[in-house]
Amino acid sequence: MPTECLILPEHRLIWLRYWGHLTRSETLETRQKTLNAPGYDPSFRVLQDFRGTESNDLSHSEMILMAETLKARRQEIEIPLQLALLAPEDLGFGMGRMFVTLLGEGPLITASAFRELDDALAFLALSPEAQDLIREMSTDEIPKTTAGRQTPPKSG
């Protein structure tokens, strides 16, 4: 699964883009690379962009583990997170909503799933300049999916 992490410090934003086949190990590897990237700041807003994903291997139990890990990390560092999950396809959007539900409501994480880029950008309350930049960049160099659909998570 190709991934890309763009840290835009001038807009206080981390933009994670995924395409192809999504696996838990690659998702965790991307997370670790992001945490260690120059310019990373845990107070930045996060846009996770799944518009290019075709399929995934994520089980329900893996999604629970990822949500619990994120909550524990935020409790440890005590820095709030604003997270927008962008997934226009039915399955990806449904999984995004499930992840948001698993995160639950709390003072340290504000998260929501979106089908449309503009809705995700509005949720993140980005400046008009940042929104324009993301819209412009979002059409550049994102590989097109071949299947145009996603596979459901494995049970377990």
Side-chain angles (χ1 to χ4, degrees), residues 13 24 26 45 60 75 77 90 100 124 141 151:
L13 177 70
R24 179 177 180 265
E26 290 170 323
R45 295 164 284 201
H60 185 260
Q75 289 173 347
I77 64 174
D90 289 344
V100 168
L124 293 171
E141 301 180 25
T151 58

Side-chain angles (χ1 to χ4, degrees), residues 4 6 15 17 19 47 49 51-52 86 117-118 121 130-144:
E4 181 177 40
L6 300 168
W15 183 11
R17 302 190 325 174
W19 54 90
L47 172 61
D49 186 345
R51 289 178 293 173
L86 176 61
L117 177 60
D118 286 346
L121 298 177
Q131 291 186 32
D132 290 343
L133 176 66
I134 301 254
R135 282 187 203 100
E136 180 181 310
M137 290 175 63
S138 71
T139 60
D140 295 340
E141 301 180 25
I142 294 179
K144 300 294 183 203

Side-chain angles (χ1 to χ4, degrees), residues 102-149:
L102 292 169
L103 288 173
E105 294 183 23
L108 292 175
I109 300 176
T110 304
S112 195
F114 301 92
R115 290 182 186 272
E116 300 293 331
L117 177 60
D118 286 346
D119 294 335
L121 298 177
F123 170 79
L124 293 171
L126 297 173
S127 69
E129 296 80 16
Q131 291 186 32
D132 290 343
L133 176 66
I134 301 254
R135 282 187 203 100
E136 180 181 310
M137 290 175 63
S138 71
T139 60
D140 295 340
E141 301 180 25
I142 294 179
K144 300 294 183 203
T145 61
T146 55
R149 50 185 275 202

Side-chain angles (χ1 to χ4, degrees), residues 20-23 50 52-60 63 89-96 98 145 147-155:
H21 183 74
L22 186 65
T23 66
F50 297 98
T53 58
E54 296 176 358
S55 58
N56 73 76
D57 279 345
L58 300 174
S59 69
H60 185 260
M63 290 188 67
E89 301 294 327
D90 289 344
L91 181 64
F93 179 72
M95 290 182 71
M98 179 172 59
T145 61
R149 50 185 275 202
Q150 300 168 330
T151 58
K154 294 186 243 176
S155 59

